[in-house]
Amino acid sequence: MFNFFKKKKIQCTSVENIQDTDSNENTRSSITTTVGLVVTDSARMSTNQALSTYTKPDTYTGNRKLFDSGSAKARTKKDAFFKGSEVRDPYTGDILEIRKVDAKLKYGDRWQNHLAETDHITPIEKIFKDNGKNPWLKKEDIKNIANSDKNLEIISRKTNNAKRSRTNKELVTDDEYLKKTGVEFSEQGKRDAIESGRKSQAEIKKQVQKTSMKNVIKTGHEAGKYSAQNSGITAATMSGVMNITAVIKGEKSTEDALADTAVDVGKATATGYVLGGGLTTLSHSLSSSSSKFLQALSKSNVPGNVMTAVIVTGDTLKRYGNCEISTQECIRELGEKGLNFATAGYSMAVGQAIIPIPIVGAAVGALVGSTITSRYYNELINTLKTKELEHQERQRIIDECEIVAKQARFFREELECYLEAYFKEHQDCFDEALLEINYAFQAGDADGVIAGANRITRKLGGNIHYDTVEEFKDFLSNDSVDIL
C-alpha cells in the first residue's frame, strides 16, 4: 500500500515537468547576468576595502605625527657624522655639532647656529597638501616619501627653526623674514637652497608616481582575484547544475558536460578578474575626484551598474547593430535579460540565506530565480506570438465563462442551504472538533488530530476504525477492511 504513494510522489517530481527545451539557453543567459551582478558586488566590496586602506586625514594641522619620523631623522644625523669629518650647514657654511653641549661649549650664545638638526627639504605639510587627496597613497606612503633619504638633510637649528613649513625657496627669497629671524645666507647659499628644493620636489614627484602606480596595480590585482574567484565559483555552481541535468536527461555526455562547465568557468573567471579589478580602480579613483558629481557616481556604484548592464545586454545590442537580429528579437531578448537582471539579485540573497555557503548559495538562488523568470517571460512571449483568436471565438469563451460562473454560484448557494437545513445541530460539534484538530496539528500531536476527526465521524454516525497512529498503521496494512 505504501509503495503506491511512493510511486505517485516520483511521478509528481519528474524533471520533465520543470525544464523545457530552451532551458540551456535560458540558463546560460542567467549565468551571464549573475556573473555580472557578482562582478559588480565584488568590485563594490573591494572599493570599500580600498577606501579603508587609503583613508587619510582631511587636514594636516594636528596630524603631523602621522607623517614625521624621528627614527629617520636620527639615522640621517648619525650617518652625516659617522665618518668623523667636519659637517657644515649647506647654506650658511657654519660648522655643526651633533651634541648640544658641544655646541654651547664651543660657540656660546651662538650655539643654535652650530647645533645639527635634520630638516625635511620639502616640508611635510607641502607634501601632504600636494598629495593628501591622492586616492592611491596611504598614510604610510606619504610618511615614507616625506622621510626618504633624498628629502632629509642636516642644517643648523637656527635655520631649521626659521624655516618651519616653508620651502627652501620661500625661505631664502623672503628678505624681510630673514632679517626678522636673524638668519643669514650668502648669495651662493640661497642658490644652493633653491636648487636643493627643486631636486627634492622632483624626486618626491617621481616617488609619488611610482608608489601610486604600484598601489593601483596591487589593488586592481587583489580586486581582480577576489572577483575572479567569486565569478568562477558562481559559474561553476550554475553551469554544473545545468550540465548535470543535461547528462541525466541524456542530452549530453559526461565529457561534454565537463568541457562546457570548464568553458563557462574560464569565461567567468577571466571576466571577473578584468572587470573586477578595473571597476575597483575606476570607482576608487572617482571617489577622490574634485567633482562632486563624479564622487556621487562612485558612491552610488554607477560604474559597476553600467558595466553589469553592458555585460548582460552587450551581446544582444552588438548583434542588433550588425543586423543579425530584428528589432522585435532585440526587444524580446532585452526584456528577458532585464527580468533576469531584476530577479537575480533578490534570488541570490534568498539562496545565500538557504545555503549559507559563500557564493554557492547565491549562485543556486540566482539559477533558480532566473530560470523561473525566464520560463514565465517566454510563456508570455509565446502567447503573444500565437495568432489572436477570432472575435466570435473569444466572445463564445466569455459567454461560457459567465455561464459556468453562474452555475458555480448556484451550487454554492444550494450547498449552504443544505448545510443549514440538515447540519445546523452539528455546527457546535464541527467547530469544536476542527479547533481541536488545529491545536493538535500545531503541537505535533498526531493522536489529537485523529481524535478530532473521529469526533466528527461519530457525530455523523460513521464507523471508527482507529484512535491512535499505531492503530492507523495497522488499519492501512489490513487488506480485509473495506472502507468503501
Side-chain angles (χ1 to χ4, degrees), residues 181-313:
T181 57
V183 178
E184 297 178 356
F185 292 101
S186 65
E187 290 302 317
Q188 184 60 45
K190 290 181 179 181
R191 289 193 292 269
D192 291 343
I194 293 173
E195 179 62 17
S196 177
R198 186 193 64 78
K199 290 181 178 179
S200 170
Q201 292 183 34
E203 180 63 28
I204 287 172
K205 183 178 181 180
K206 186 188 301 183
Q207 291 186 43
V208 166
Q209 292 175 342
K210 181 179 179 180
T211 304
S212 297
M213 183 56 65
K214 179 181 178 182
N215 288 339
V216 168
I217 295 173
K218 180 179 179 181
T219 301
H221 177 60
E222 293 299 326
K225 288 198 303 181
Y226 178 68
S227 178
Q229 180 183 22
N230 291 343
S231 300
I233 294 175
T234 299
T237 303
M238 298 179 72
S239 181
V241 172
M242 178 188 70
N243 283 295
I244 289 173
T245 302
V247 171
I248 293 175
K249 293 174 66 176
E251 297 173 352
K252 289 184 180 181
S253 66
T254 303
E255 293 76 12
D256 289 340
L258 291 175
D260 289 345
T261 299
V263 170
D264 290 336
V265 173
K267 290 181 178 179
T269 301
T271 300
Y273 180 84
V274 174
L275 296 183
L279 283 174
T280 299
T281 55
L282 173 61
S283 296
H284 184 63
S285 296
L286 291 178
S287 67
S288 297
S289 171
S290 57
S291 169
K292 297 295 183 182
F293 175 69
L294 294 180
Q295 290 182 23
L297 290 182
S298 174
K299 291 180 181 179
S300 301
N301 200 29
V302 171
N305 292 332
V306 170
M307 189 59 68
T308 301
V310 172
I311 294 174
V312 173
T313 64

Side-chain angles (χ1 to χ4, degrees), residues 379-433:
E379 288 175 2
L380 293 177
I381 292 296
N382 290 333
T383 300
L384 292 176
K385 286 183 176 181
T386 303
K387 183 178 180 181
E388 293 287 342
L389 294 174
E390 295 294 337
H391 176 72
Q392 292 181 350
E393 180 67 11
R394 291 202 308 273
Q395 191 60 48
R396 184 186 66 78
I397 294 174
I398 292 174
D399 293 340
E400 288 184 2
C401 288
E402 290 180 353
I403 293 173
V404 172
K406 290 180 181 179
Q407 291 177 341
R409 287 195 295 270
F410 173 77
F411 288 142
R412 179 177 178 181
E413 292 172 358
E414 186 178 20
L415 176 61
E416 289 177 351
C417 291
Y418 179 79
L419 291 174
E420 184 177 357
Y422 295 96
F423 291 101
K424 184 175 182 180
E425 70 277 9
H426 299 83
Q427 189 65 47
D428 292 339
C429 173
F430 289 171
D431 289 343
E432 293 175 1

Side-chain angles (χ1 to χ4, degrees), residues 359-481:
I359 304 301
V360 174
V364 173
L367 174 62
V368 174
S370 297
T371 300
I372 292 175
T373 303
S374 294
R375 284 177 54 82
Y376 175 66
Y377 178 81
N378 287 330
E379 288 175 2
L380 293 177
I381 292 296
N382 290 333
T383 300
L384 292 176
K385 286 183 176 181
T386 303
K387 183 178 180 181
E388 293 287 342
L389 294 174
E390 295 294 337
H391 176 72
Q392 292 181 350
E393 180 67 11
R394 291 202 308 273
Q395 191 60 48
R396 184 186 66 78
I397 294 174
I398 292 174
D399 293 340
E400 288 184 2
C401 288
E402 290 180 353
I403 293 173
V404 172
K406 290 180 181 179
Q407 291 177 341
R409 287 195 295 270
F410 173 77
F411 288 142
R412 179 177 178 181
E413 292 172 358
E414 186 178 20
L415 176 61
E416 289 177 351
C417 291
Y418 179 79
L419 291 174
E420 184 177 357
Y422 295 96
F423 291 101
K424 184 175 182 180
E425 70 277 9
H426 299 83
Q427 189 65 47
D428 292 339
C429 173
F430 289 171
D431 289 343
E432 293 175 1
L434 291 174
L435 187 63
E436 180 180 351
I437 291 173
N438 181 48
Y439 285 147
F441 182 78
Q442 293 180 2
D445 180 9
D447 290 342
V449 173
I450 294 174
N454 286 345
R455 188 171 182 174
I456 295 176
T457 302
R458 291 190 181 94
K459 186 67 175 179
L460 297 177
N463 296 322
I464 303 300
H465 297 283
Y466 50 84
D467 291 302
T468 66
V469 172
E470 294 301 323
E471 292 178 2
F472 172 69
K473 293 180 180 179
D474 293 338
F475 171 74
L476 290 178
S477 302
N478 187 356
D479 295 330
S480 64
V481 179

